[in-house]
Amino acid sequence: MSSHPLTGKAPPDFAAHVPSAQKPLIPKKHAITGDYTILTRSLGVGVNGKVLECIHKATGERRALKILRENPKSRRELDLHWRSCSHENIVNICDVYENVFMGHRSLLVVMECMEGGELFDRIQDKGHFTEREAAEVVRCISLAVAHLHHMDIAHRDLKPENLLYSDKTPSAKLKLTDFGFAKENHGSKALTTPCYTPYYVAPEVLGPEKYDTSCDMWSIGVITYILLCGFPPFYSYGGAPISPGMKKRIRQGQYGFPDPEWTNVSSQAKDLIKGLLKTNPADRFTIDDVLRHRWIAGYQEVPQTPLACIQVLQDDKELWPDIQDEMSHALATMRVADEPSKIKKVADANNPILARRAKKNSGK
Ligand code: ADP
């Protein structure tokens, strides 16, 4: 087994992350109300409607109910989530019902209830946040993504709203959810297994599938960047979601590590981000590169430098819905992109949040 150029360590034992085969999904046909009391309180709202709270009658446990209209897209979402949910960093599915709900054939997906809320809400509520804690968070997200990518599944909607904490305790687990855009790449493994490694084939020839997983890598890069400084690497002008200017900046990789927020952040953290935000998807780190990277593999030795993240998130609270919208739109653009973008990196960043912060920090 060869050692990794960045860590000098042998690759981790990925077999440890591969779960035992999930049992086949057979939705229950009897009425969900026989087993659950459905409450009117919603736990969150997504594109598919509300996620409701429900109580499992037999155990009294609180759970979350997502209602999907029965159609091929919902079936795919459910199938991919079901097959991957045995991992400790992916929200678990407890039960599935096929019922007529409000007059529509529906799939009722009962999940464990993630009482700890969304990733950045929890970080904002903390008194302090260090670079080592950020590395731990990125490691958890990466373990979930590795589990999917090793099954040839790309999530393609990896954003802060889909990362939830199991409870409010300090030992809560961070888990990935919402497989609404997940996609399985049937057969791509056949071309990349050691017995058939086509070194001579250009990445494009392997087909666009290769780029589905690179979209998750871009997301990990953006989330890591925000965790470390509190603002996103790319931002549009005038609040217009994913403006042409922002699209261009993403394609050109125009972002920076400005002072003072980045002054004390380690060069290893920046190295990881650079590998993840590469403009050409074929050059971007894969999930195995991330798990082997020193900042992730050696997360327990990452410096405990306090980060500006919480303060910046609090200062810019009113911008958070825009930031979320922009990330969603950028991901939507990547999902439909026929071709990987290959424009050269430009050094200077034109980021109005940065400009505002720089002005504030210079006391003007
Ligand atoms: P959609 O596919 O409609 O966007 P999501 O699966 O993203 O729906 O869920 C929407 C919101 O509901 C999430 O952002 C989250 O706040 C909340 N939510 C989803 N699943 C759970 C869960 N298992 N426990 C608690 N809240 C959840």
Side-chain angles (χ1 to χ4, degrees):
M1 210 179 270
S2 63
S3 68
H4 187 263
L6 286 166
T7 59
K9 288 181 186 164
D13 177 10
F14 292 127
H17 306 304
V18 179
S20 54
Q22 177 71 294
K23 47 186 192 303
L25 171 62
I26 305 167
K28 294 175 176 162
K29 298 284 165 57
H30 63 270
I32 187 172
T33 45
D35 304 333
Y36 288 89
T37 306
I38 302 172
L39 307 180
T40 45
R41 195 172 88 88
S42 99
L43 293 163
V45 185
V47 288
N48 289 305
K50 289 177 184 169
V51 172
L52 298 172
E53 193 179 331
C54 61
I55 309 288
H56 187 223
K57 289 180 181 175
T59 59
E61 238 176 65
R62 263 158 58 87
R63 292 185 184 165
L65 170 65
K66 184 167 177 174
I67 302 158
L68 300 168
R69 287 268 182 100
E70 157 79 89
N71 59 40
K73 185 183 172 292
S74 300
R75 284 249 163 216
R76 184 175 75 170
E77 166 175 351
L78 177 58
D79 173 53
L80 296 179
H81 190 171
W82 173 259
R83 279 161 49 198
S84 31
C85 76
S86 55
H87 192 272
E88 64 172 0
N89 297 111
I90 294 180
V91 171
N92 193 27
I93 296 178
C94 315
D95 263 322
V96 178
Y97 295 81
E98 211 179 282
N99 283 179
V100 173
F101 192 84
M102 316 267 270
H104 296 282
R105 279 186 66 204
S106 305
L107 292 166
L108 309 182
V109 187
V110 181
M111 298 173 280
E112 63 177 312
C113 189
M114 302 297 288
E115 321 237 13
E118 293 178 15
L119 170 64
F120 283 100
D121 289 338
R122 181 177 164 121
I123 289 172
Q124 270 192 60
D125 293 342
K126 286 165 82 87
H128 75 295
F129 189 57
T130 67
E131 189 178 317
R132 187 178 297 177
E133 288 174 281
E136 282 175 40
V137 168
V138 179
R139 184 172 168 273
C140 288
I141 300 169
S142 303
L143 289 173
V145 171
H147 178 68
L148 298 178
H149 288 193
H150 292 156
M151 291 196 290
D152 262 343
I153 295 171
H155 185 276
R156 305 198 310 158
D157 201 27
L158 183 49
K159 55 189 186 183
E161 306 91 287
N162 291 333
L163 290 161
L164 306 173
Y165 275 102
S166 54
D167 55 65
K168 294 201 184 299
T169 69
S171 58
K173 286 248 177 293
L174 180 63
K175 303 194 187 197
L176 175 62
T177 192
D178 194 357
F179 283 65
F181 290 106
K183 187 175 166 197
E184 186 175 23
N185 289 322
H186 297 282
S188 71
K189 262 214 167 107
L191 288 173
T192 49
T193 45
C195 56
Y196 181 64
T197 309
Y199 291 109
Y200 48 89
V201 175
E204 296 89 324
V205 179
L206 288 173
E209 291 82 10
K210 184 164 169 31
Y211 301 108
D212 292 330
T213 52
S214 72
C215 151
D216 292 341
M217 304 319 295
W218 180 84
S219 290
I220 298 176
V222 173
I223 293 167
T224 307
Y225 188 103
I226 305 175
L227 279 169
L228 290 168
C229 70
F231 51 83
F234 311 104
Y235 203 80
S236 74
Y237 291 106
I242 190 94
S243 66
M246 182 183 161
K247 258 189 212 169
K248 191 169 151 237
R249 283 192 293 284
I250 290 177
R251 265 191 274 115
Q252 297 187 335
Q254 289 183 5
Y255 69 94
F257 297 115
D259 296 328
E261 291 83 2
W262 287 91
T263 314
N264 299 320
V265 174
S266 72
S267 55
Q268 280 170 17
K270 291 175 188 164
D271 178 85
L272 179 70
I273 290 169
K274 285 181 204 159
L276 289 165
L277 295 183
K278 281 258 162 48
T279 53
N280 181 351
D283 295 340
R284 226 167 269 163
F285 278 173
T286 65
I287 197 62
D288 292 352
D289 294 331
V290 172
L291 291 181
R292 282 187 292 241
H293 192 279
R294 194 178 289 153
W295 198 71
I296 295 297
Y299 72 101
Q300 282 146 323
E301 278 102 58
V302 165
Q304 288 178 294
T305 317
L307 297 171
C309 174
I310 296 179
Q311 193 54 49
V312 179
L313 285 172
Q314 280 167 1
D315 287 356
D316 296 341
K317 216 175 195 147
E318 77 286 356
L319 294 173
W320 190 245
D322 281 354
I323 293 170
Q324 287 180 310
D325 270 6
E326 295 197 337
M327 190 154 180
S328 299
H329 281 86
L331 285 167
T333 310
M334 286 186 206
R335 285 192 295 265
V336 296
D338 291 325
E339 277 191 61
S341 53
K342 282 201 170 150
I343 297 168
K344 295 236 160 34
K345 184 173 161 123
V346 178
D348 72 322
N350 248 335
N351 184 329
I353 297 189
L354 286 189
R356 214 159 60 98
R357 295 203 65 75
K359 205 167 155 196
K360 195 166 150 196
N361 289 322
S362 68
K364 279 178 220 150

